[in-house]
Amino acid sequence: RIPNLEVQIHLTGNGRPRLDVEKTLADVREGEKKTWVYLSGPNPFIQAGEAACKASGVVEWFGARWSI
């Protein structure tokens, strides 16, 4: 446990809805000054996520990993 750290996990695939990165960032950043984001998934998803993070203006750290 780390004070003031909140972790949100969004599982997708296998019949689950796709993650809307822009909407999720908008929901997460309400009242937050800085946010860290880690994405894992296919390259197009990671690229879209990275673009959304850059455009958000609040993402301080972005990490990604490709997975099959």
Side-chain angles (χ1 to χ4, degrees):
R1 295 188 181 247
I2 299 173
N4 300 317
L5 177 67
E6 178 183 338
V7 176
Q8 291 187 10
I9 298 171
H10 300 268
L11 298 176
T12 60
N14 296 328
R16 296 180 192 104
R18 290 181 177 238
L19 177 68
D20 182 332
V21 178
E22 290 179 17
K23 180 183 180 318
T24 302
L25 279 174
D27 293 344
V28 168
R29 73 176 179 238
E30 282 186 23
E32 299 297 325
K33 293 183 179 179
K34 293 292 177 185
T35 300
W36 291 8
V37 174
Y38 179 84
L39 295 172
S40 179
N43 284 331
F45 173 69
I46 290 172
Q47 290 167 347
E50 185 174 17
C53 288
K54 287 179 181 177
S56 76
V58 297
V59 176
E60 185 177 71
W61 180 87
F62 173 82
R65 179 175 158 248
W66 178 82
S67 70
I68 297 174

